[in-house]
Amino acid sequence: QRRHTARVSLSLPMAVKCRCCGVVGEHFTFQCPLKDQAVVPSTLSRQGYSSRTGDMAERLKAEADAHDNQTAVTYVHRNDLQTLSKFLLLKPSAMMARDKYVFLVVRDAMRTGYESERPVSEDVEGLIAAWGSQHHEQKGEKARDLLLALGRAHGVTYAKWLFFTTLRDANDIWPAVVTAVCSGKLGCSAKLQGDDPRRLLCCVYVPDFSDCDDVARVRDNLSSTLSAHSTHVTDLMFKPDCFSECGVYRGNKWRINPTLEKFRIGGTPDMKSSSNVGEYGTGG
């Protein structure tokens, strides 16, 4: 005897909002293609945390906009693992799907002693003015050493290890970077930014480009993180903020190399460049 099975049709009320990605009126939460992204990393406790990634992302983003007038979702670490775990729920792929842009920032207030993006002792305007009046016709290494000396003199000593990655790899790399920053294994802050799933920029900051030991330590730990989580060859580059503030980019008129060091990760040993941190960190 043939059995007749009744078909149940699920109609979607227009007011339904997906608790995973935050989209309204398109699908239920259990149908969301991003639902598997909303999980706490296995290294952290799952107890007490929900998977309402979309709602939390909107709230944190609104708070960041109101506090800093920026579009970044910013987390300032104060040794609070519960808040850290919630921040780690914000997967880059979920942000890209919703906003078509990724901008995540983590800062370790426990290490820096302050919660703003930069210390008030930085004199960026003074640096730019001094560079404009002193560089004259200097080129290459002489211009580089002068700019580094001016950066130290005006307190603009922040620098960053930067690399580009794909959105797919960022889902694994970014949580590892955030956790390492908050545990003191990397620099004092980091950011992930971009609108191209094939090319997102990640920066890991150190407070002082002339602190050779700290710069090398962060490089080595970040290299280990990328080796474990990146699926492609990655160029890890080191750039002082004084270069960015004074317009030192590729093809600049002073013929300054815009990065002080470049290190290739994921390739064969002969593809990796040697370290020059000691030379540049103390030069000038």
Side-chain angles (χ1 to χ4, degrees), residues 132-149:
S133 63
Q134 296 185 37
H135 70 76
H136 301 297
E137 298 301 322
Q138 296 196 51
K139 307 288 184 182
E141 293 184 0
K142 290 184 177 180
R144 177 203 67 198
D145 291 345
L146 171 61
L147 182 50
L148 291 174

Side-chain angles (χ1 to χ4, degrees), residues 97-115:
R98 187 186 63 252
D99 299 331
K100 309 302 179 186
Y101 195 82
V102 176
F103 197 177
L104 293 163
V105 175
V106 57
R107 290 198 291 271
D108 186 5
M110 304 297 294
R111 178 180 179 188
T112 61
Y114 56 89
E115 299 185 7

Side-chain angles (χ1 to χ4, degrees), residues 96 164-168 195-201 232:
M96 181 70 76
F164 292 93
T165 186
T166 63
L167 180 62
R168 177 183 176 182
D195 59 0
D196 186 348
R198 300 164 299 179
R199 187 176 172 84
L200 297 180
L201 171 65
H232 61 280

